[in-house]
Amino acid sequence: MYENNREVMQTAVLAGIDTGEYDAEYSMRELEGLAEASGAHVAAVMIKKRRVLEAATLLGSGAMAELREICRANEADLLIFDCELTPSQQRNIADLTDTAVIDRTMLILDIFAQRARSSEGRIQVELAQLKYMLPRLTGKGMSLSRLGGGIGTRGPGETKLETDRRHVRRRIESLEGKLRTIEKQRKRIRDRRRHDGFQTVALVGYTNAGKSTLMNALTDAGVLVKDQLFATLDPTARALTLPDMKTVILIDTVGFISRLPHQLVQAFHSTLEVAADADLILNVCDASDPMAYSQIDVTRSLLDELGCAGIPVIHVMNKCDRLSAAGEPEMMRDCVMISALERRGLDQLLQKISDRLGGFSRVRFFIPFSEGGKLAKIRESCAVLSEEYTDAGYSVTAMADARQLAGIGAEYELLHLEKGNENEKN
């Protein structure tokens, strides 16, 4: 909502239903964080336990009357449900409470619409929103132009909200075509990196776990850091030099959250699939969160959905500066305790990354002029960093693994940082 070019904070009431399928209280705290991240002021929260959901409104008539009074007492502009509503349920609840109604999915889509900065991110968000809106056009039985401004209505824009279903479908097809083009571009970039011998490390994890802070601490990427859910949306890739002088590509990805809308997983597949192509995954988790291991499980299940099974994973327990000695969680396999904010534990993390990746080393080859065929092999199979001509032949610095070194069969020396960059002859 805008008034004199100034955004007006909306007052929201949150409603959740505890069916025993998940921790409803934790989910509602998460929903409150999402609402605040979207720019709303949460005035009240209501959780009702129900074994069976009422088809028309999820809640019974008594609970709906109570919810209506809560909305009136707090002069709420918005009622947010912590579950996905059908079009008819959304309409029924809005009629009974006389308040605009959105669900968890629409709220997350709204946050993504606010945060997307790159052209690809905006395409992905608009695609997810249109796919979400399309079945609701019939359910509303009215023009989308009746929607006002505010949370849940941002994204495609007012002109898109006044189009009919056929135009929306055409727009979806157009956006999907653009994403296919972007996916091809991403594949070419990935193939080029692999051909050049660069390994990739993907930062994944729960939203607000500190991935952006860690990215900045390791690479000086300058990514926005904010104590807010989904503060950053667009992925960032930077070069990272490891202790053994290997250079890898560190890529930040979209944060995860429990019950992430399926539309977003589909729309952001081209962005998230960087994790499936990574040589190593860093699963960043907030060690100070009492639900830390549940968040790791959420990330693990989403990674499996993206086809990341079998990729090595290092669990990075961030924000250890917030822990007391008695409050430290039990260590798990391949776990590194760090504080990205205070830059604690980063050396151990870098060494762990180097140990898990292994294989590639920075080497300098010496190729006599009479063995030019070996130079061709180096150029074809290795990531060449520099070439020099000497009186005796070629001096080539490249990234190579043991298999490539054996196949080339040339004299080389390993370059490393120990002892003031002294070289170890091989």
Side-chain angles (χ1 to χ4, degrees), residues 316-330:
V316 182
M317 305 299 285
N318 190 27
K319 304 185 183 181
C320 65
D321 53 294
R322 299 184 179 181
L323 296 174
S324 62
E328 290 190 7
E330 181 182 351

Side-chain angles (χ1 to χ4, degrees), residues 197 199 358-363 365 381-383 398-408 412:
Q199 293 175 292
F360 285 88
S361 302
R362 187 188 297 261
V363 298
F365 293 98
S381 62
C382 303
M399 298 295 296
D401 59 18
R403 177 182 56 82
Q404 293 167 335
L405 293 173
I408 294 167
Y412 69 91

Side-chain angles (χ1 to χ4, degrees), residues 120 123 127 131 172-188 270 273:
E120 178 185 5
I123 290 172
L127 178 61
K131 284 187 173 181
I172 288 175
E173 291 175 1
S174 173
L175 294 173
E176 287 177 336
K178 292 179 180 179
L179 280 184
R180 283 192 293 270
T181 301
I182 292 173
E183 287 175 9
K184 292 178 182 177
Q185 294 171 349
R186 283 187 177 276
K187 185 177 184 304
R188 285 196 293 269
S270 63
E273 70 181 0

